[in-house]
Amino acid sequence: MLHSQSYVHLVLQYGGDFCMEQVLSIQPGRHLSRDDAVDCTIQIASALSHCHANDVTHGQVSLRHVSVEMARNRLVCRLVDFSMAAHVPDSSTRETMCGSLPCVAPETALGEPYWPKPADCWSLGVVLLETACGQGSLELSVPWRRCAHLVQAMREILEFFAQAGSHAQAMASMDGVHDGATLACLEELLRPEPLRRASASVAADVLQPGA
C-alpha cells in the first residue's frame, strides 16, 4: 500500500489474463490434460487450505473465480474474488447463499444453516471434475438446468452422489481424465454429508504424485 497527501494506492498482484472457465472453453474436449488438471487443483486446494487454516471461507469457489496465468511450462492458478468471503470458525455455521451452479455446494440453497468450509470443499471437487473430465460434466450427469427450482436441482445432485459408482459415472460423462487419484479425490470431496468431506489440504495430498 502506498499513500500520498490525497490518495491511497493499493498495489495488487497480477492475476492473469483468463479465468479457468475461459481456459476450458478453448481446450480440446473442454478439459485440461491430466497433469495440468491435477496441478491446478492442487494449487487451488493449497490456497483454500491456507484460508481455512485462518478460519476464512471463500464462499464461491468456481471456475470463474480461478484466475490463470499462462506461464512458460505451467498454468499458474490463483483463487480470486473474496467478495463473499467470511471469517467463520469451525464451530460456526452460515446461512448466506453463496455461489452458483455448477460449483456451489447443494446444502447452501436448502434454507438451513450450513458448514462453510465443507461447502468450499464441495466446490473444489466440482472444479476438479470440470477441469479434469470436461466442462459440463456435472450437468451431463445431473441435468440441473431442467429443474424448475434451484432447491430441486440441489436435491437431485445430492441424490446422484449418494449412489454407489456415481463419481466414476460423472467422470465418464465426457471424454476427459480417468485415473485413480482423480476418482479418489472426487469421492472424498463430493460427499452428500458435509462433515464427511475431505479438507482442502487432504484433497491436495490425495492428488500428489505417489500418494
Side-chain angles (χ1 to χ4, degrees):
M1 182 182 73
L2 307 174
H3 67 86
S4 65
Q5 291 183 345
S6 304
Y7 299 99
V8 173
H9 305 271
L10 298 178
V11 182
L12 305 178
Q13 184 181 32
Y14 177 62
D17 295 319
F18 307 97
C19 69
M20 184 61 76
E21 188 176 66
Q22 294 169 314
V23 171
L24 293 179
S25 69
I26 61 173
Q27 300 300 311
R30 299 173 70 88
H31 64 83
L32 302 179
S33 69
R34 188 269 178 195
D35 289 345
D36 282 344
V38 167
D39 184 39
C40 288
T41 304
I42 290 173
Q43 293 179 60
I44 302 162
S46 297
L48 198 57
S49 177
H50 174 75
C51 294
H52 287 183
N54 291 280
D55 289 333
V56 174
T57 59
H58 186 276
Q60 48 183 354
V61 177
S62 67
L63 301 175
R64 189 169 295 178
H65 294 141
V66 174
S67 72
V68 183
E69 180 180 353
M70 303 288 194
R72 181 173 299 177
N73 298 314
R74 189 187 189 197
L75 299 179
V76 178
C77 298
R78 297 179 178 89
L79 189 59
V80 299
D81 192 347
F82 282 72
S83 60
M84 297 299 293
H87 183 268
V88 186
D90 286 333
S91 58
S92 301
T93 58
R94 194 177 186 187
E95 297 185 37
T96 305
M97 169 60 185
C98 303
S100 58
L101 283 166
C103 293
V104 63
E107 64 268 17
T108 64
L110 299 182
E112 300 176 356
Y114 63 90
W115 304 99
K117 290 181 183 178
D120 277 350
C121 292
W122 173 283
S123 300
L124 176 66
V126 179
V127 168
L128 172 60
L129 175 66
E130 302 273 305
T131 54
C133 304
Q135 187 178 17
S137 292
L138 182 62
E139 187 175 359
L140 284 175
S141 305
V142 189
W144 48 264
R145 291 184 193 272
R146 73 181 181 191
C147 299
H149 301 288
L150 178 62
V151 171
Q152 178 190 351
M154 295 303 196
R155 286 176 176 159
E156 291 194 12
I157 290 171
L158 284 174
E159 290 173 3
F160 174 78
F161 283 107
Q163 301 171 25
S166 57
H167 300 84
Q169 182 180 335
M171 287 180 67
S173 61
M174 297 179 69
D175 186 24
V177 171
H178 308 281
D179 77 304
T182 301
L183 176 59
C185 191
L186 291 175
E187 290 175 339
E188 291 293 328
L189 293 172
L190 299 180
R191 291 179 179 266
E193 310 88 346
L195 296 182
R196 292 188 60 207
R197 291 174 199 155
S199 66
S201 60
V202 168
D205 290 341
V206 170
L207 290 172
Q208 291 286 354

